[in-house]
Amino acid sequence: MIEQVREHVRKLLTDGQISAFLGLRNQDGNIAPHIFEKPEDLDEGFTLGDVEGRPPARYPLAKLLMTIVSADPDKKFGILVRGCDERALYELVRWNQLPGAAYRFVKVGFACPQELADEHECRKPFPDECVAGEKAQPVMNASVKEIDAKALPERLEYWSRVFDRCVKCYGCRDICPVCFCNVCTLEENALIRTGDLPPENPIFHLTRAAHMAGRCIDCNLCTEVCPAEIPLRTLYKKVAEIVQEDFGYVTGEPGDAKSPLNFLGPDPGHTSAHD
Amino acid sequence: MRKLLAFSGVDPERLLLKWVSSAEGPRFAQVVTEFTEKIRILGPSPLADSRTAKQPTAGMASEAS
Amino acid sequence: MTGNQKEEIRIGVFICDCGSNIAGYLTMQELVDYARTLPNVVFVQENLYTCSESGINEIKQAIPTHNLNRVVVASCTPRTHEPLFQSACEEAALNPYLFEMANIRDQCSWVHMREREKGTERAKHQIAMAVAKAARLRELSRIELGISHRAVVIGGGISGMSAAMALGNMGYEVDLVEKQEKLGGLLNSLNIVLPANEPSSRLLHDLAARISANDKIIVHTSSEVTKAEGYVGNYVVTIREKSAENRVKAGVIIVAIGARALKPEGLFGYNGKSVITHLELEALLKQGAPAAKNVVIVQCVGSRCAERTYCSRICCMTAVKNSILLKEADSRNKVTILYRDMMMYGVENEDMFRKSKELGVRYVAYDPAKLPQVGEDFVKVYHQRMGKEISIPAELVVLSTPLVAQEDAANVSSMLKVPLNENGFFLEGHVKLKPLDFATDGVYLCGSARFPATIREAVSQGLGAASRAAIVLSKEALFTSGIVADINTETCCGCLGCVDVCPYGAIRFVEEKEICQVNKVLCKGCGGCAATCPSESAKLDGFSSEQIYAQIEQAFAS
């Protein structure tokens, strides 16, 4: 699989269709995002994230692309995408974080193995177009249903307990491919008192959850990085479910649908006196 | 918000959002009275004891004009 | 922004008795003593009426004497009095946005009239909230705008004509835009106007002649307004006249598109011949009285029902008027009015009602659950007093149908961004305080476009709308409010979240800088952008998060 991807990228670079490729590189056993500028660079450490004996490493490449694209406005980039990366790209384009997107980057997609799809209970473990890989079966995550099955006091007890483990490392936010704000509400003292540890429970996590409405693309990176093993994804999945139920909006899909919180419902001014 | 609160284990009845026009004084009074009554019946917020220094999580009635 | 941040904050609090309106129900001395204890408050004064000349003077004197840099007035509603107090501050060389108000009348003394202690307690909270916010107020500035001293009136019916005439007489240029070939609207179809007892054509011709004689008024017939852009003082209105399109600059726009009479297809055997509407009857009466000897008029046809719940207000008077004309044409004519409730408000209408009875018009109340049945030459109705059905001979049946909204009302509404109510009539800014204004500045309404109106009401509303509009037109320049949104250029990430939320189209994305920017002239200070911004980059001046949080904290502090 990796060979197909490598050769595809090599061709893009050789033909000059892209000036550089944002992918992953294995350097002395450590996998990290890397910008490949020359075709021959691809022969050294180019990887899809696989490490022996461990699940493949993932990074919010879409978020990195955002920075790279704005730093180098004249260049066109290639980017390695899994299903989740692609969903993030769609959402970032929608939020205008990759301006001129259509001609600014080329996606090089590959399907995740079933093992990884199972690991992250991925709803779509492959991008729309794949250069390589067998499309794995989507896996549904049942964690929301588990919470829904609990009674109110049990839910509160559960969340209070897991939120109290939070060490406020902001890892969930920093890894999040769709967290792009320059200033963050989570650091707004007037809303969430700063200096508390664990942070105000449940305000800190519910605030972040509210900000994930219409944004979270369900990549599971937040839960993966959380040192306190807080099941954040479950919380954001619920938010996504609410947004879908109430506004019919699903994140991470192509097209120019607007995020439901970014426009007014009925025509401006037409508010009814009755609710 | 109500659905998210319910999911987090907070009774969604503790949050109320209603559109009340500035020309609907009696309705505003009615909405607020009913809601305060309801909150009284529901009792102190289960979140209140975790942060005793803070006021209990009250509801919110929004006024639009 | 200003040097105030470092300056010591000195707040003056003025507490108004409002005669006995507030002082009669709250313990004022307690409020005064309490206000003195609040942080940053250096001066507290109780006034009999803060809004009176002496009250205003006291504010103006206290500012320099006590070196105040913030003013709080605890009195009535900011909606009516804030501008007055702000200008008092301004006259004393204090930025008017360093002023804050606490409404202890509407929200304390009025609602807690019989609860002196609780009301007083509540007033303290509100004063504390206002003081907390005042301490965090910043100087804001207004932008000066030039204006166009010209008006566009949409609709050349009686109310639009009256509005245009009034503005023309004041010396302002007016474009009067009428969809039909001639001015007059519904008035063209009417016969005699009571109680004036004049042919409607007389009223119409007289007004039309005065309009055409006025060189300030340009009449556009067979024309439509197709587009309106801009804002108060500086609208650009596109008028399509026949096939040509013209763009005119206007400071104000008056909506006077009127209403239309409902054609009662399928109701009470309506056929346009023996069962007709009042408009059709008026056309017959214009040509001389109809031959029918027995006429039955049915009220509330197609109104006050599930489909149209409202009362059209004018049909009772129309029915009584036409019954009198039928009786006067030949006293042997038998006229019966089947009604649900007769609404004849005002002395003259009451006289007209009495006169119709003296002339022998018969009134029979019907039960909406047992609607009258229209037959070939009779109408059957259940007589509630007699407790049985009676049959009334009728060669002619006249149906009183309501005025309903114009078909293009929705277009005009979305073009001007002004709201309609559930029945498709235009919704005024406030039913009592702004009956002829829209919430959008510089757009006014009058006549039956607002709600079914009599001729007299349509005229007075037209004149009223003209005088509201003249408030803008008479100014040399306008000042925008200082309460406008601002987007932090440093932190904005250009996500466009605010752009579509803005109901006034005041935010645009600046490509070069990849950020969003507010046009402070278009901004109405609704705060939608500030609420939606995920990163708190958009804020509303005068309602910053810091100020609002401070108020909330005070509200909950005990």
Side-chain angles (χ1 to χ4, degrees), chain C residues 65-84:
Chain C
T65 314
H66 300 277
N67 210 5
L68 304 179
N69 52 24
R70 302 286 190 283
V71 170
V72 171
V73 172
S75 61
C76 52
T77 165
R79 197 188 282 238
T80 54
H81 281 69
E82 189 172 49
L84 177 71

Side-chain angles (χ1 to χ4, degrees), chain A residues 96-97 182-183 190 215 258 261, chain C residues 491 493-494 500 509 534-535 549:
Chain A
N96 198 38
Q97 298 306 303
N182 295 326
V183 280
R215 281 218 230 182
K258 283 210 155 48
L261 301 181
Chain C
T491 60
C493 51
D500 289 316
F509 179 65
S535 71
Y549 297 152

